[in-house]
Amino acid sequence: MKLLLLEDESHDADLIIATLRRSGLEFDIELVCDREEFLDAISTRLFDAVLSDNTLPQFNAVTALKLLRERQIFIPFILVTGTTSDEFAVEIMKEGAYDYVLKDRLHRLASAVRISVNNYRNDQERQAQMEKIIRSESLMKEAERLAHFGSWEVEKQHNYYNWSDEYYRILGYGVGEVAPCADNFYAKVHPEDLDFVRETFDLALQSLDSHRFECRIVLRDGEIRHLDSKVHFFRDEAGNILRINGIAMDISEAKQADALLRKTELSFKRVVDNILDGLVIDNIEGKITFANDQFLKIFGFSRSDLANLHFEDFVAPEYRHKLRLQHEMRIAGERAPGTFEFVGIRKDGERRWVEVSTSKVLENGKIVGTQSALKDITKAKISEELRLQSEANLRAIFDNTDIGYILLNKSLRIISFNPFVYKISFDKVERKPVIGRLFTDCFGEDNKPFVQMPLQSALAGTNKHVDYEFHSIYGSNNWFSIGYSSILDSDNHVIGVLVSVRNITAQKQLEAQGQAIKDDLIRRNHDLEQFAYITSHNLRSPVASILGLCQLILDDGLDANEIPQALSDLNFTAQKLDDIIRDINKILTINKDISESREMVDFEGLVTDICDLLKQNYSEVRFEVILDFQHAKSIYSIRSYLHSIFINLISNSIKYRKAEVNPVIQIHSKQSPSSVELLFRDNGIGIDMARNGHKIFGLYNRFHHHVEGRGM
């Protein structure tokens, strides 16, 4: 069947659809959420029933029902609402709604849909059949044929006999095949019934009274049929017979049905008494006129209790007024809920939850009572309450944890997520999570490939857990620990993915700080080793020279003409010692906490300034600098430090050039996810890396001595 669902809450719509699917109902459903979509649907498409929420923005169920009826659409309309009053229920049932179902009682929605649609279809079929019969060219002939009765007539004055077409057919003759007369009738009467029939006609002629009798006739193929015949005499004032009319009805099927009914009546009683549902019938006053054994079992009554039992006797006090009102509505011919629940009271006082399906009982087109099927749903109610409590507990945990959870279906669309998802820095995504949205559509193109691979692994049954640094659309970065877990059904088939998200930025920052401290300790330890080397080699040598020269001067071991030279040597050695001390001071200054302000430093502008300076210092050298900064044009840093790095590397390329070859220096940049790399290449004499690679950037390490320098 095709259903139209009018609902503006996507969660409620999903719940309604899931409930119908679990019931086994086969259906297609279309969801609309406002007046325009509803009008478009009912104007252009056909549906078997409409399920409608009570209240929508600027629209409600009563208006929707009126729109249907204005367009002469009388399909079942079922109200599916969160809460409603008895007065509103009565109002909308009067407007033509077939039923209403509360959203916290959705387990009865499927049966309400089935019953409403089936009743509507049966009404349509009966209406169509009646219209077909009414349009018949010969209503009497059609009636005779459908009812299997024929008529005959004898007019005594003119000795006139007449049989209707159906009477011919009932006796097994073709229409007009034989002359209509008593002999041709008797020729068809069963031999065992022939004397009885003749005697009946003789008795009727003598008494001139109407007579009714049954007999059997035998057709050509030996088939036996049962006839119910009635004879009526018309007389003049003197009592003379003027006309005899007769009617004969083929009651063979009724006879067979009666025999079958008698045969199956006992079986039916056994079935009624042993089905799982309690069956009960009451009259217009609400007194019980029939109840099966299962009903007695549910409420603890005995057969003798049924004599004076009223339906309110097994209904809890708080439900009696509502059920009495519904009973009065049914008896009055008004619409009332066909399926509902109430709390029943057993004979011993025990309270039981009962689900009821009720309909009217008609006799000769008049409502004479109601019939109901009752089911004890106490265990189901207890289980449902426990489930709801469990769900509430899980929801409390789910909504108050410091981990974001996102539930995806097999198509990777969002089914549900907890509030913490919004708190966990979702400024890192381009689109916020929304139920029904494809999960990967929440991420930008840079981050999307990162989430796709673990999602596919989870769909394949392999759980994944990764740490990833998201680049915010606002410029900031954060670290997240993300888990992708498969959701399995009872057959271990993957039906979805649970994504758990935890912000670990603070943890990563602590790890980075720890690594920085570790790296700083290693560097400081290396510096101490360098200082030890400087102390034992670079400082010790000039100090020893100074001490030696001073000793010579103090001991008067020099001639007068040698003293000036000794003082000059002493000055040179002291100057060399001062240079070393300055170098050490410079190193210590560089390794202090950076206090200079940072700025965006443009690489090309920096190199241009340095080249202009070096061209003055190396005017005799024609050098070329080739730049490629297309992947990274600048960096946020301390300009003086970058200037020092660039000028040292470029000047070294010029100083350590090959003879007779003009220096060519190539500098280009590379961009990685977390850093900018600068690469320098020249065509100079180079360094023997196998021999000296481990010494590069060590204090006072020099690999060529034909050019002045200190290895700083």
Side-chain angles (χ1 to χ4, degrees):
M1 63 181 66
K2 186 168 181 60
L3 305 176
L4 178 62
L5 175 57
L6 179 57
E7 175 60 68
D8 64 330
E9 289 292 335
S10 59
H11 175 76
D12 289 352
D14 291 344
L15 185 59
I16 289 169
I17 294 172
T19 300
L20 291 174
R21 295 201 189 284
R22 285 198 300 270
S23 73
L25 187 69
E26 294 183 1
F27 65 95
D28 292 320
I29 193 163
E30 181 174 345
L31 175 63
V32 295
C33 59
D34 56 31
R35 179 190 181 98
E36 288 70 26
E37 292 181 352
F38 179 76
L39 283 174
D40 177 69
I42 64 175
S43 300
T44 60
R45 294 177 288 283
L46 297 177
F47 299 92
D48 292 301
V50 175
L51 311 181
S52 174
D53 192 7
N54 180 17
T55 302
L56 299 91
Q58 300 179 348
F59 197 45
N60 58 41
V62 173
T63 303
L65 181 55
K66 287 181 179 179
L67 290 174
L68 279 172
R69 300 304 181 247
E70 289 172 0
R71 286 158 178 76
Q72 298 299 305
I73 301 173
F74 298 95
I75 58 176
F77 186 96
I78 300 173
L79 180 67
V80 184
T81 183
T83 57
T84 187
S85 64
D86 291 341
E87 292 76 10
F88 180 80
V90 171
E91 178 186 354
I92 197 164
M93 296 300 283
K94 287 181 177 179
E95 289 293 334
Y98 272 59
D99 204 345
Y100 73 90
V101 178
L102 298 180
K103 289 183 179 178
D104 59 352
R105 302 288 188 270
L106 285 179
H107 55 271
R108 59 170 293 266
L109 177 60
S111 63
V113 172
R114 286 192 185 96
I115 292 171
S116 298
V117 172
N118 287 339
N119 289 343
Y120 174 77
R121 289 175 176 173
N122 290 338
D123 290 343
Q124 292 296 101
E125 291 175 0
R126 284 193 294 270
Q127 182 66 25
Q129 187 64 30
M130 286 299 297
E131 292 175 356
K132 181 178 180 181
I133 294 173
I134 293 172
R135 290 193 303 267
S136 175
E137 294 181 359
S138 178
L139 182 59
M140 186 60 189
K141 288 185 177 181
E142 185 68 13
E144 286 191 0
R145 187 184 67 80
L146 292 175
H148 296 293
F149 75 88
S151 60
W152 55 270
E153 180 182 13
V154 177
E155 188 178 327
K156 297 292 288 183
Q157 182 178 0
H158 300 94
N159 198 28
Y160 170 76
Y161 289 81
N162 182 51
W163 289 354
S164 70
D165 292 350
E166 188 64 21
Y167 193 68
Y168 274 105
R169 285 191 284 267
I170 289 175
L171 296 178
Y173 294 118
V175 177
E177 179 183 349
V178 297
C181 63
D183 290 339
N184 286 329
F185 165 72
Y186 289 135
K188 290 292 185 178
V189 176
H190 194 285
E192 296 179 0
D193 296 342
L194 187 56
D195 291 341
F196 163 73
V197 173
R198 290 183 183 275
E199 292 173 359
T200 301
F201 269 105
D202 290 342
L203 180 62
L205 286 171
Q206 293 174 11
S207 63
L208 300 180
D209 290 331
S210 297
H211 275 69
R212 183 173 183 174
F213 62 92
E214 293 182 9
C215 68
R216 293 170 292 173
I217 62 172
V218 182
L219 304 184
R220 288 192 181 100
D221 59 3
E223 179 185 355
I224 297 176
R225 294 188 178 228
H226 292 263
L227 296 187
D228 181 9
S229 298
K230 187 174 182 180
V231 182
H232 185 71
F233 296 90
F234 295 89
R235 300 183 295 274
D236 60 14
E237 294 179 357
N240 300 315
I241 298 175
L242 297 176
R243 189 174 71 255
I244 305 173
N245 283 354
I247 295 176
M249 179 176 290
D250 185 348
I251 60 171
S252 303
E253 293 182 1
K255 282 287 185 179
Q256 294 172 358
D258 186 56
L260 180 61
L261 179 62
R262 287 194 300 270
K263 183 178 179 180
T264 60
E265 190 175 40
L266 181 60
S267 299
F268 176 76
K269 185 178 185 305
R270 290 172 180 169
V271 170
V272 168
D273 285 340
N274 289 280
I275 61 175
L276 295 179
D277 289 352
L279 299 179
V280 64
I281 299 176
D282 55 32
N283 60 20
I284 57 177
E285 290 83 19
K287 292 192 65 175
I288 305 302
T289 60
F290 169 81
N292 68 345
D293 290 348
Q294 186 63 23
F295 171 83
L296 300 177
K297 181 179 178 181
I298 292 174
F299 291 101
F301 293 119
S302 63
R303 283 285 168 191
S304 60
D305 294 325
L306 295 179
N308 299 305
L309 191 65
H310 191 278
F311 78 84
E312 292 186 16
D313 295 337
F314 52 85
V315 175
E318 63 269 26
Y319 284 88
R320 288 174 183 167
H321 175 72
K322 180 178 180 180
L323 267 61
R324 186 187 309 115
L325 177 63
Q326 293 180 2
H327 179 78
E328 292 172 354
M329 291 172 61
R330 293 188 193 95
I331 297 302
E334 300 175 359
R335 290 190 178 274
T339 304
F340 53 91
E341 297 175 359
F342 70 91
V343 175
I345 301 293
R346 283 173 52 86
K347 186 177 181 180
D348 58 9
E350 181 184 358
R351 295 167 67 91
R352 309 291 292 178
W353 271 102
V354 181
E355 181 183 71
V356 186
S357 179
T358 300
S359 60
K360 305 166 187 174
V361 176
L362 302 176
E363 287 185 6
N364 300 321
K366 183 179 179 181
I367 300 173
V368 296
T370 65
Q371 57 188 4
S372 304
L374 303 92
K375 181 183 297 183
D376 187 341
I377 59 170
T378 305
K379 291 183 179 180
K381 276 288 185 180
I382 294 173
S383 298
E384 178 71 8
E385 290 176 359
L386 291 175
R387 184 187 66 80
L388 292 175
Q389 183 61 47
S390 177
E391 285 186 359
N393 293 338
L394 289 175
R395 174 59 64 178
I397 297 173
F398 191 63
D399 290 346
N400 293 283
T401 182
D402 61 352
I403 300 176
Y405 290 103
I406 306 171
L407 185 63
L408 312 178
N409 62 16
K410 198 170 182 180
S411 300
L412 299 181
R413 293 193 177 276
I414 299 172
I415 298 176
S416 178
F417 54 87
N418 66 340
F420 195 72
V421 167
Y422 279 117
K423 301 177 183 178
I424 199 164
S425 191
F426 259 94
D427 59 333
K428 310 300 176 290
V429 298
E430 291 192 342
R431 302 176 71 192
K432 289 189 176 182
V434 175
I435 292 176
R437 175 168 290 166
L438 196 64
F439 180 63
T440 51
D441 286 350
C442 296
F443 299 89
E445 293 302 321
D446 292 340
N447 293 323
K448 188 175 293 185
F450 168 74
V451 299
Q452 286 174 332
M453 290 184 62
L455 282 172
Q456 294 303 321
S457 296
L459 286 177
T462 303
N463 295 340
K464 291 289 184 180
H465 192 279
V466 293
D467 292 345
Y468 187 72
E469 185 180 18
F470 278 97
H471 303 289
S472 169
I473 58 177
Y474 301 107
S476 61
N477 295 338
N478 276 262
W479 278 93
F480 292 93
S481 176
I482 308 178
Y484 301 85
S485 304
S486 305
I487 301 175
L488 307 177
D489 61 13
S490 57
D491 297 323
N492 287 326
H493 295 147
V494 177
I495 58 174
V497 177
L498 177 65
V499 181
S500 59
V501 187
R502 185 162 56 92
N503 193 325
I504 57 171
T505 304
Q507 175 184 332
K508 285 292 184 179
Q509 289 173 344
L510 290 175
E511 291 176 359
Q513 291 174 3
Q515 185 62 41
I517 293 172
K518 179 181 177 181
D519 293 341
D520 185 60
L521 290 174
I522 293 173
R523 181 184 58 77
R524 290 178 182 274
N525 185 59
H526 178 70
D527 290 347
L528 288 174
E529 292 176 354
Q530 292 292 323
F531 291 148
Y533 174 84
I534 293 170
T535 302
S536 61
H537 292 82
N538 300 66
L539 289 178
R540 183 60 183 167
S541 177
V543 169
S545 297
I546 291 172
L547 291 174
L549 289 170
C550 289
Q551 189 64 41
L552 286 173
I553 295 172
L554 293 173
D555 291 345
D556 297 327
L558 297 176
D559 295 335
N561 58 349
E562 293 178 327
I563 289 176
Q565 182 62 42
L567 291 174
S568 177
D569 291 341
L570 181 62
N571 180 67
F572 174 79
T573 304
Q575 186 65 45
K576 186 175 180 180
L577 178 61
D578 182 64
D579 289 342
I580 294 172
I581 292 172
R582 288 177 182 274
D583 288 344
I584 293 173
N585 184 63
K586 184 177 181 181
I587 292 169
L588 292 175
T589 301
I590 290 174
N591 285 328
K592 287 182 180 180
D593 291 337
I594 297 172
S595 59
E596 294 188 45
S597 61
R598 296 172 180 265
E599 60 182 301
M600 290 302 298
V601 181
D602 179 72
F603 295 139
E604 186 170 349
L606 182 66
V607 173
T608 300
D609 293 343
I610 291 172
C611 288
D612 291 343
L613 177 63
L614 292 176
K615 284 177 182 178
Q616 298 176 11
N617 297 336
Y618 296 97
S619 58
E620 76 284 359
V621 180
R622 297 185 61 185
F623 64 89
E624 180 184 4
V625 180
I626 300 173
L627 306 178
D628 181 7
F629 296 132
Q630 62 175 333
H631 296 295
K633 300 180 182 297
S634 60
I635 192 172
Y636 189 69
S637 185
I638 299 174
R639 183 178 182 84
S640 62
Y641 282 12
L642 287 178
H643 187 278
S644 175
I645 292 170
F646 272 74
I647 197 169
N648 274 282
L649 291 173
I650 296 172
S651 63
N652 278 350
S653 295
I654 298 172
K655 287 165 60 177
Y656 297 99
R657 62 187 179 275
K658 291 179 180 178
E660 309 299 331
V661 176
N662 290 330
V664 177
I665 302 114
Q666 300 177 32
I667 310 173
H668 72 274
S669 61
K670 289 174 61 178
Q671 176 76 58
S672 71
S674 59
S675 64
V676 172
E677 297 180 11
L678 295 168
L679 294 96
F680 290 74
R681 179 189 299 273
D682 62 38
N683 60 345
I685 59 179
I687 300 172
D688 185 350
M689 296 298 292
R691 180 179 179 184
N692 298 316
H694 65 286
K695 298 180 181 178
I696 291 180
F697 299 122
L699 287 173
Y700 296 108
N701 282 316
R702 300 180 63 211
F703 313 117
H704 303 288
H705 299 279
H706 66 284
V707 178
E708 181 181 357
R710 299 200 305 274
M712 282 293 293

